Amino acid sequence: MKKMNLPNKLTIFRIVLIVPFVLLLLGESAEWGWYRALFGGILEYVDYIALFIFIIASLTDLIDGKIARKYNLVTNFGKFMDPLADKLLVSAALIALVELRRIPAWIVIIIISREFIISGFRLVAADNGVVIAASYWGKFKTTFQMVMVCLMIADIPQLKLVTDIVMWTALILTVVSLADYLLKNKGVMRESK
C-alpha cells in the first residue's frame, strides 16, 4: 500500500480539526456538563481557541495545495478530498454560527447551495473531460467568507459594523462568483445533453 504524502496528510488533518473546532464553538450553548468541567476556568477564551483552530485549518488549505504543486504530489485522492475538506470546514463553521445566532440561516443556505451547484457542475465538466479552473471571483469570495467566519467566531461587539460589511460583501461575491462560473462554462451543460 502506498504511503500518504504530506499534502494529503494536511487535508486529513484539516478534516480532523473540524471536530474540536465545532465542539469548542458550540459547547457553551449546548450546556454539556463535561464542557463546563473541562473549560470552566477559561470559558471566556473558548471562542478564541476555536478561532485559532479554524485559522490553522484554513492555513493547511493554502499549504497543502502549494506543496502538492511545487513537488508534483498531486493525487486523485487530493483532488477529491481537498475541496471536500474546504467545504466541510466552512459549512461546519457557518452552521455552528447559525446555531449561535451570529449569522442568518438564509445567508448560510445561499453560501452552501452555491458550493453544491459548483461541485455538481464540476462533476459534469469532469465527465466531459473539461477541467474548470478557479476564477478570481471565487478566490475573492473564499477570502471574504474566511474573514467573515473569523470575525463572527471572535464576536467582538466593537467590530459589528465591519463584520456586517464583510458578511454582505461575502454574500454578494458568492452570488457573483456563481453567476460568473455558470456563464463562463455554460457550454459544459450543453455538451452533457
Side-chain angles (χ1 to χ4, degrees):
M1 188 169 162
K2 210 172 174 185
K3 198 174 172 187
M4 188 175 283
N5 65 33
L6 180 58
N8 290 344
K9 285 178 182 174
L10 288 169
T11 298
I12 295 297
F13 180 60
R14 183 156 71 257
I15 293 170
V16 169
L17 284 177
I18 294 169
V19 176
F21 164 68
V22 171
L23 287 176
L24 283 164
L25 200 57
L26 292 181
E28 191 174 3
S29 66
E31 296 181 3
W32 296 318
W34 63 265
Y35 185 89
R36 286 204 169 272
L38 194 61
F39 299 110
I42 57 164
L43 277 177
E44 63 267 29
Y45 303 112
V46 168
D47 279 358
Y48 295 108
I49 299 168
L51 175 60
F52 178 73
I53 292 172
F54 181 80
I55 290 169
I56 294 295
S58 299
L59 288 175
T60 64
D61 180 35
L62 289 173
I63 296 165
D64 67 5
K66 286 187 178 182
I67 293 171
R69 286 186 294 275
K70 185 175 181 180
Y71 297 103
N72 197 25
L73 297 172
V74 177
T75 63
N76 286 333
F77 177 85
K79 285 180 195 173
F80 173 72
M81 288 303 293
D82 184 58
L84 181 62
D86 300 341
K87 286 170 182 50
L88 286 171
L89 176 65
V90 173
S91 297
L94 291 171
I95 292 166
L97 290 167
V98 168
E99 173 74 15
L100 295 171
R101 301 182 188 279
R102 295 183 192 173
I103 186 171
W106 67 270
I107 291 178
V108 173
I109 290 167
I110 291 171
I111 291 171
I112 292 176
S113 296
R114 184 251 185 220
E115 299 307 325
F116 275 108
I117 292 166
I118 297 298
S119 294
F121 210 79
R122 279 201 163 117
L123 280 173
V124 172
D127 197 42
N128 290 321
V130 177
V131 177
I132 300 174
S135 71
Y136 283 109
W137 286 112
K139 289 175 182 174
F140 292 145
K141 177 265 314 173
T142 301
T143 301
F144 272 88
Q145 279 182 6
M146 293 299 190
V147 172
M148 174 190 78
V149 168
C150 289
L151 287 168
M152 288 180 174
I153 294 168
D155 195 28
I156 300 167
Q158 294 86 348
L159 294 178
K160 175 82 169 78
L161 179 62
V162 173
T163 303
D164 286 347
I165 291 168
V166 172
M167 179 187 73
W168 288 109
T169 305
L171 179 64
I172 291 164
L173 288 171
T174 297
V175 174
V176 168
S177 67
L178 174 62
D180 176 67
Y181 194 93
L182 295 176
L183 287 170
K184 281 183 180 170
N185 300 289
K186 59 188 174 193
V188 169
M189 294 308 275
R190 278 202 289 267
E191 289 168 25
S192 67
K193 290 179 184 174

